[in-house]
Short mmCIF file of all heavy atoms in Angstrom, two decimals:
data_model
loop_
_atom_site.label_atom_id
_atom_site.label_comp_id
_atom_site.label_asym_id
_atom_site.label_seq_id
_atom_site.Cartn_x
_atom_site.Cartn_y
_atom_site.Cartn_z
N GLU A 1300 9.29 14.88 -17.19
CA GLU A 1300 8.34 14.60 -16.12
C GLU A 1300 9.04 13.90 -14.96
O GLU A 1300 10.06 13.24 -15.14
CB GLU A 1300 7.20 13.72 -16.64
CG GLU A 1300 6.33 14.38 -17.69
CD GLU A 1300 5.14 13.52 -18.07
OE1 GLU A 1300 4.95 12.46 -17.43
OE2 GLU A 1300 4.40 13.89 -19.00
N SER A 1301 8.48 14.05 -13.77
CA SER A 1301 8.98 13.33 -12.61
C SER A 1301 8.49 11.89 -12.64
O SER A 1301 7.42 11.59 -13.16
CB SER A 1301 8.51 14.01 -11.32
OG SER A 1301 9.08 15.30 -11.21
N ALA A 1302 9.28 11.01 -12.07
CA ALA A 1302 8.90 9.61 -12.02
C ALA A 1302 7.75 9.40 -11.04
O ALA A 1302 7.65 10.10 -10.02
CB ALA A 1302 10.09 8.75 -11.62
N ARG A 1303 6.88 8.45 -11.37
CA ARG A 1303 5.76 8.09 -10.49
C ARG A 1303 6.09 6.80 -9.74
O ARG A 1303 6.58 5.83 -10.32
CB ARG A 1303 4.49 7.87 -11.31
CG ARG A 1303 3.96 9.11 -12.00
CD ARG A 1303 2.61 8.84 -12.66
NE ARG A 1303 2.72 7.93 -13.79
CZ ARG A 1303 2.18 6.72 -13.84
NH1 ARG A 1303 1.51 6.23 -12.81
NH2 ARG A 1303 2.30 5.97 -14.93
N LEU A 1304 5.80 6.81 -8.44
CA LEU A 1304 5.99 5.62 -7.61
C LEU A 1304 4.77 4.72 -7.77
O LEU A 1304 3.63 5.17 -7.56
CB LEU A 1304 6.17 6.03 -6.15
CG LEU A 1304 6.31 4.90 -5.13
CD1 LEU A 1304 7.54 4.05 -5.41
CD2 LEU A 1304 6.37 5.48 -3.71
N LEU A 1305 5.00 3.45 -8.13
CA LEU A 1305 3.90 2.53 -8.39
C LEU A 1305 3.67 1.51 -7.27
O LEU A 1305 2.68 0.78 -7.31
CB LEU A 1305 4.16 1.77 -9.70
CG LEU A 1305 4.29 2.63 -10.96
CD1 LEU A 1305 4.58 1.75 -12.16
CD2 LEU A 1305 3.03 3.44 -11.19
N THR A 1306 4.55 1.45 -6.31
CA THR A 1306 4.43 0.46 -5.23
C THR A 1306 4.41 1.16 -3.88
O THR A 1306 4.78 2.33 -3.76
CB THR A 1306 5.59 -0.55 -5.28
OG1 THR A 1306 6.84 0.17 -5.40
CG2 THR A 1306 5.45 -1.50 -6.45
N ASP A 1307 4.00 0.42 -2.86
CA ASP A 1307 3.87 0.97 -1.51
C ASP A 1307 5.10 0.62 -0.68
O ASP A 1307 5.32 -0.55 -0.35
CB ASP A 1307 2.62 0.39 -0.85
CG ASP A 1307 2.40 0.93 0.55
OD1 ASP A 1307 3.18 1.79 1.00
OD2 ASP A 1307 1.43 0.48 1.21
N PRO A 1308 5.94 1.60 -0.34
CA PRO A 1308 7.16 1.31 0.43
C PRO A 1308 6.89 0.65 1.78
O PRO A 1308 7.76 -0.05 2.31
CB PRO A 1308 7.80 2.68 0.61
CG PRO A 1308 7.25 3.52 -0.51
CD PRO A 1308 5.85 3.02 -0.70
N ALA A 1309 5.72 0.86 2.34
CA ALA A 1309 5.42 0.28 3.65
C ALA A 1309 5.33 -1.23 3.60
O ALA A 1309 5.60 -1.91 4.60
CB ALA A 1309 4.12 0.87 4.20
N THR A 1310 4.94 -1.76 2.43
CA THR A 1310 4.69 -3.21 2.35
C THR A 1310 5.49 -3.92 1.27
O THR A 1310 5.54 -5.14 1.25
CB THR A 1310 3.19 -3.47 2.07
OG1 THR A 1310 2.81 -2.80 0.84
CG2 THR A 1310 2.34 -2.92 3.21
N THR A 1311 6.13 -3.17 0.36
CA THR A 1311 6.76 -3.78 -0.81
C THR A 1311 8.28 -3.78 -0.67
O THR A 1311 8.87 -2.77 -0.26
CB THR A 1311 6.37 -3.03 -2.10
OG1 THR A 1311 4.95 -3.01 -2.21
CG2 THR A 1311 6.98 -3.70 -3.32
N ASP A 1312 8.89 -4.89 -1.05
CA ASP A 1312 10.35 -5.00 -1.04
C ASP A 1312 10.74 -5.82 -2.27
O ASP A 1312 10.59 -7.04 -2.29
CB ASP A 1312 10.82 -5.69 0.24
CG ASP A 1312 12.33 -5.81 0.33
OD1 ASP A 1312 13.01 -5.24 -0.54
OD2 ASP A 1312 12.82 -6.47 1.26
N LEU A 1313 11.21 -5.15 -3.32
CA LEU A 1313 11.60 -5.81 -4.56
C LEU A 1313 13.08 -6.16 -4.52
O LEU A 1313 13.86 -5.56 -3.78
CB LEU A 1313 11.30 -4.91 -5.76
CG LEU A 1313 9.86 -4.39 -5.87
CD1 LEU A 1313 9.72 -3.52 -7.11
CD2 LEU A 1313 8.86 -5.54 -5.90
N ASP A 1314 13.47 -7.13 -5.38
CA ASP A 1314 14.87 -7.55 -5.38
C ASP A 1314 15.70 -6.90 -6.49
O ASP A 1314 16.89 -7.21 -6.64
CB ASP A 1314 14.98 -9.08 -5.49
CG ASP A 1314 14.62 -9.61 -6.87
OD1 ASP A 1314 14.16 -8.83 -7.72
OD2 ASP A 1314 14.80 -10.83 -7.10
N GLY A 1315 15.12 -5.99 -7.27
CA GLY A 1315 15.87 -5.28 -8.29
C GLY A 1315 15.74 -5.84 -9.69
O GLY A 1315 16.13 -5.18 -10.66
N GLU A 1316 15.20 -7.05 -9.85
CA GLU A 1316 14.98 -7.60 -11.18
C GLU A 1316 13.79 -6.89 -11.84
O GLU A 1316 12.79 -6.59 -11.18
CB GLU A 1316 14.70 -9.10 -11.10
CG GLU A 1316 15.91 -9.93 -10.69
CD GLU A 1316 16.97 -9.96 -11.77
OE1 GLU A 1316 16.61 -10.07 -12.96
OE2 GLU A 1316 18.16 -9.87 -11.42
N LEU A 1317 13.90 -6.65 -13.15
CA LEU A 1317 12.86 -5.88 -13.84
C LEU A 1317 12.78 -6.32 -15.30
O LEU A 1317 13.80 -6.41 -15.98
CB LEU A 1317 13.18 -4.38 -13.76
CG LEU A 1317 12.26 -3.42 -14.50
CD1 LEU A 1317 10.85 -3.48 -13.95
CD2 LEU A 1317 12.81 -2.00 -14.42
N LEU A 1318 11.56 -6.60 -15.76
CA LEU A 1318 11.31 -6.94 -17.16
C LEU A 1318 10.02 -6.26 -17.59
O LEU A 1318 9.01 -6.36 -16.89
CB LEU A 1318 11.20 -8.46 -17.32
CG LEU A 1318 10.98 -8.97 -18.75
CD1 LEU A 1318 12.24 -8.77 -19.58
CD2 LEU A 1318 10.59 -10.44 -18.74
N ILE A 1319 10.04 -5.58 -18.73
CA ILE A 1319 8.89 -4.84 -19.21
C ILE A 1319 8.22 -5.61 -20.34
O ILE A 1319 8.87 -6.05 -21.29
CB ILE A 1319 9.28 -3.44 -19.69
CG1 ILE A 1319 10.01 -2.68 -18.57
CG2 ILE A 1319 8.04 -2.66 -20.12
CD1 ILE A 1319 9.23 -2.56 -17.29
N THR A 1320 6.89 -5.78 -20.24
CA THR A 1320 6.09 -6.40 -21.29
C THR A 1320 5.01 -5.41 -21.71
O THR A 1320 4.91 -4.30 -21.17
CB THR A 1320 5.44 -7.70 -20.80
OG1 THR A 1320 4.41 -7.38 -19.84
CG2 THR A 1320 6.46 -8.61 -20.13
N GLY A 1321 4.17 -5.81 -22.65
CA GLY A 1321 3.09 -4.94 -23.08
C GLY A 1321 2.05 -4.69 -22.02
O GLY A 1321 1.25 -3.75 -22.13
N GLU A 1322 2.05 -5.49 -20.95
CA GLU A 1322 1.05 -5.35 -19.89
C GLU A 1322 1.61 -4.71 -18.62
O GLU A 1322 0.91 -4.63 -17.62
CB GLU A 1322 0.47 -6.72 -19.54
CG GLU A 1322 -0.26 -7.37 -20.71
CD GLU A 1322 -0.78 -8.74 -20.33
OE1 GLU A 1322 0.03 -9.70 -20.34
OE2 GLU A 1322 -1.97 -8.85 -20.02
N GLY A 1323 2.87 -4.29 -18.66
CA GLY A 1323 3.46 -3.67 -17.49
C GLY A 1323 4.80 -4.28 -17.14
O GLY A 1323 5.50 -4.83 -18.00
N ALA A 1324 5.15 -4.18 -15.86
CA ALA A 1324 6.45 -4.64 -15.38
C ALA A 1324 6.32 -5.97 -14.66
O ALA A 1324 5.38 -6.17 -13.87
CB ALA A 1324 7.06 -3.60 -14.45
N LEU A 1325 7.27 -6.87 -14.90
CA LEU A 1325 7.40 -8.10 -14.12
C LEU A 1325 8.52 -7.88 -13.12
O LEU A 1325 9.65 -7.55 -13.50
CB LEU A 1325 7.71 -9.29 -15.03
CG LEU A 1325 6.60 -9.70 -16.00
CD1 LEU A 1325 7.07 -10.82 -16.92
CD2 LEU A 1325 5.34 -10.13 -15.24
N VAL A 1326 8.20 -8.05 -11.84
CA VAL A 1326 9.16 -7.79 -10.76
C VAL A 1326 9.10 -8.94 -9.76
O VAL A 1326 8.15 -9.71 -9.71
CB VAL A 1326 8.86 -6.45 -10.05
CG1 VAL A 1326 9.05 -5.28 -11.00
CG2 VAL A 1326 7.46 -6.45 -9.46
N HIS A 1327 10.15 -9.02 -8.94
CA HIS A 1327 10.24 -10.04 -7.90
C HIS A 1327 10.07 -9.37 -6.54
O HIS A 1327 10.77 -8.40 -6.23
CB HIS A 1327 11.60 -10.74 -7.93
CG HIS A 1327 11.93 -11.36 -9.25
ND1 HIS A 1327 13.21 -11.77 -9.57
CD2 HIS A 1327 11.16 -11.65 -10.32
CE1 HIS A 1327 13.21 -12.29 -10.78
NE2 HIS A 1327 11.97 -12.21 -11.26
N ALA A 1328 9.16 -9.88 -5.73
CA ALA A 1328 8.85 -9.29 -4.43
C ALA A 1328 9.17 -10.27 -3.30
O ALA A 1328 8.73 -11.41 -3.33
CB ALA A 1328 7.39 -8.88 -4.36
N LEU A 1329 9.94 -9.79 -2.32
CA LEU A 1329 10.24 -10.59 -1.13
C LEU A 1329 9.02 -10.62 -0.22
O LEU A 1329 8.39 -9.57 0.02
CB LEU A 1329 11.43 -10.02 -0.37
CG LEU A 1329 12.84 -10.28 -0.95
CD1 LEU A 1329 13.06 -9.55 -2.25
CD2 LEU A 1329 13.90 -9.90 0.07
N ASP A 1330 8.71 -11.81 0.31
CA ASP A 1330 7.51 -11.95 1.13
C ASP A 1330 7.67 -13.13 2.09
O ASP A 1330 7.52 -14.27 1.69
CB ASP A 1330 6.28 -12.14 0.24
CG ASP A 1330 4.98 -12.22 1.04
OD1 ASP A 1330 5.00 -11.90 2.24
OD2 ASP A 1330 3.96 -12.61 0.46
N ARG A 1331 8.06 -12.84 3.33
CA ARG A 1331 8.11 -13.84 4.40
C ARG A 1331 8.89 -15.10 3.97
O ARG A 1331 8.41 -16.22 4.06
CB ARG A 1331 6.69 -14.22 4.83
CG ARG A 1331 5.94 -13.06 5.48
CD ARG A 1331 4.52 -13.45 5.83
NE ARG A 1331 4.46 -14.55 6.79
CZ ARG A 1331 4.52 -14.42 8.11
NH1 ARG A 1331 4.65 -13.21 8.64
NH2 ARG A 1331 4.44 -15.47 8.91
N GLY A 1332 10.10 -14.88 3.52
CA GLY A 1332 10.95 -16.01 3.15
C GLY A 1332 10.74 -16.53 1.76
O GLY A 1332 11.40 -17.49 1.35
N ARG A 1333 9.83 -15.94 1.01
CA ARG A 1333 9.61 -16.30 -0.39
C ARG A 1333 9.97 -15.11 -1.27
O ARG A 1333 10.08 -13.98 -0.81
CB ARG A 1333 8.15 -16.67 -0.65
CG ARG A 1333 7.70 -18.01 -0.10
CD ARG A 1333 7.20 -17.91 1.28
NE ARG A 1333 6.57 -19.16 1.73
CZ ARG A 1333 6.37 -19.47 3.00
NH1 ARG A 1333 6.72 -18.60 3.95
NH2 ARG A 1333 5.81 -20.61 3.34
#
């Protein structure tokens, strides 16, 4: 199957960290200096 995009490129900027749990993915998102 082809991969599905789960985030919006227009507004989302992740730092590449990724951890999978039973409830989904834990990711780090850049947001106005945070």
Side-chain angles (χ1 to χ4, degrees):
E1300 295 186 5
S1301 295
R1303 294 186 292 115
L1304 177 62
L1305 300 179
T1306 49
D1307 181 2
T1310 58
T1311 304
D1312 181 7
L1313 306 180
D1314 72 353
E1316 291 290 320
L1317 176 63
L1318 182 70
I1319 304 303
T1320 70
E1322 298 178 280
L1325 293 176
V1326 295
H1327 304 165
L1329 283 68
D1330 183 12
R1331 295 177 62 86
R1333 287 89 171 161

